[in-house]
Amino acid sequence: MEFESNCSLMKNTSASVAWSSKLPQGLDVEISHHPITLHCVANLLIAMERLNGGKGFTLGTEFRDEDLLNFLLESAVDEHIVLELGSTHTEHIEARSRAPGFSSKGEYECSVTDSENKCWVLNEGSMELHAMMLQGGSSYHKVHLNLSTYVTPVPSETEARPVALGIKGSNLYLSCITSGGTPTLHLEEVADKEQLKSINHESDMVRFLFYKRDTGVDVSTLESAHSRNWFISTALQQDKTKMVNMCQRENHNRFTTFTIQRHN
């Protein structure tokens, strides 16, 4: 067999003579000064395999490309790669959507008055909240609320806290519902209050939640969690409309800040 090389070869050196004396007749060794290439390594491996009685190679003084490919494939070491499977971004989103977005933390009793010191009063005939000036012995008409506070796994509001507002001594809760394209305030009866203990951030139960943002000592705004930028509001004293309702912050004809007085 004769190995081809583009580099200069040294024949009849002491090393080549020593190797030639040990090789079968017809084989010769040529030593190159240049760095060994992958092709040369393959040649050497094939020659060693033939000397060791290897099978599967074509006899002759030249080897074919097919022989080189077969040898490399047969000599290859299988590599097993173990990948650590982790949750994909989609799975994280799905898990988050399944997880409760709001969890009830506590509850306390309070009452609410607007900037004109009007109190919230329940009109049982229409099941509406009205804002009215109360004097003397009529203060018992003032509505007392059970304000439930909530926490979220990943708070989205740094200056506001989600709350639910229920009429004390009843199953009525304030909710914000879009009617005719406009968010409006309603009183809804909640037969099973356990539904309000944990609320998914994508569920329809979010209508019962409002973001309480403090703007002063005991002074806060109440923004709908269902319809953002819509706030619980009351009308000016001279306005004949007494109903507590929703409005956008830019509405200067209604009050959106309230004094929320805690009673326990």
Side-chain angles (χ1 to χ4, degrees), residues 97 102 195 198-207 226:
S97 65
F102 304 91
Q195 298 179 75
S198 181
I199 299 177
N200 188 296
H201 71 284
E202 291 184 349
S203 76
D204 190 52
M205 296 295 287
V206 174
R207 69 184 186 276
H226 181 267

Side-chain angles (χ1 to χ4, degrees), residues 155-227:
S156 58
E157 298 290 330
T158 57
E159 300 178 357
R161 168 170 289 185
V163 300
L165 302 168
I167 306 297
K168 182 183 177 182
S170 73
N171 292 328
L172 297 175
Y173 282 81
L174 279 69
S175 67
C176 180
I177 300 176
T178 301
S179 177
T182 302
T184 56
L185 189 68
H186 294 262
L187 286 176
E188 290 190 58
E189 184 174 1
V190 180
D192 183 10
K193 295 183 180 181
E194 291 297 317
Q195 298 179 75
L196 299 176
K197 294 292 184 182
S198 181
I199 299 177
N200 188 296
H201 71 284
E202 291 184 349
S203 76
D204 190 52
M205 296 295 287
V206 174
R207 69 184 186 276
F208 290 103
L209 297 179
F210 299 86
Y211 284 113
K212 178 178 177 289
R213 180 179 284 103
D214 297 331
T215 59
V217 179
D218 295 331
V219 178
S220 308
T221 60
L222 296 166
E223 180 187 7
S224 170
H226 181 267
S227 301

Side-chain angles (χ1 to χ4, degrees), residues 80-234:
H80 298 278
I81 302 176
V82 179
L83 298 178
E84 182 178 354
L85 298 179
S87 299
T88 64
H89 179 65
T90 303
E91 290 172 342
H92 279 301
I93 294 177
E94 293 176 350
R96 182 178 177 184
S97 65
R98 292 192 298 268
F102 304 91
S103 299
S104 178
K105 182 180 180 182
E107 181 181 278
Y108 61 86
E109 180 184 342
C110 66
S111 59
V112 179
T113 55
D114 66 14
S115 299
E116 291 184 334
N117 205 33
K118 297 194 299 295
C119 302
W120 289 4
V121 176
L122 175 61
N123 186 326
E124 296 184 0
S126 61
M127 293 302 293
E128 296 173 345
L129 283 177
H130 287 186
M132 301 177 60
M133 297 288 294
L134 298 178
Q135 298 178 351
S138 62
S139 60
Y140 69 92
H141 290 294
K142 179 191 296 186
V143 164
H144 283 234
L145 301 171
N146 290 326
L147 187 150
S148 301
T149 58
Y150 289 77
V151 294
T152 58
V154 181
S156 58
E157 298 290 330
T158 57
E159 300 178 357
R161 168 170 289 185
V163 300
L165 302 168
I167 306 297
K168 182 183 177 182
S170 73
N171 292 328
L172 297 175
Y173 282 81
L174 279 69
S175 67
C176 180
I177 300 176
T178 301
S179 177
T182 302
T184 56
L185 189 68
H186 294 262
L187 286 176
E188 290 190 58
E189 184 174 1
V190 180
D192 183 10
K193 295 183 180 181
E194 291 297 317
Q195 298 179 75
L196 299 176
K197 294 292 184 182
S198 181
I199 299 177
N200 188 296
H201 71 284
E202 291 184 349
S203 76
D204 190 52
M205 296 295 287
V206 174
R207 69 184 186 276
F208 290 103
L209 297 179
F210 299 86
Y211 284 113
K212 178 178 177 289
R213 180 179 284 103
D214 297 331
T215 59
V217 179
D218 295 331
V219 178
S220 308
T221 60
L222 296 166
E223 180 187 7
S224 170
H226 181 267
S227 301
R228 304 306 301 271
N229 199 36
W230 284 82
F231 297 80
I232 295 179
S233 65
T234 57

Side-chain angles (χ1 to χ4, degrees), residues 26-41:
L27 294 180
D28 193 6
V29 175
E30 296 180 358
I31 301 176
S32 171
H33 285 294
H34 291 265
I36 299 175
T37 63
L38 179 61
H39 190 270
C40 293
V41 172

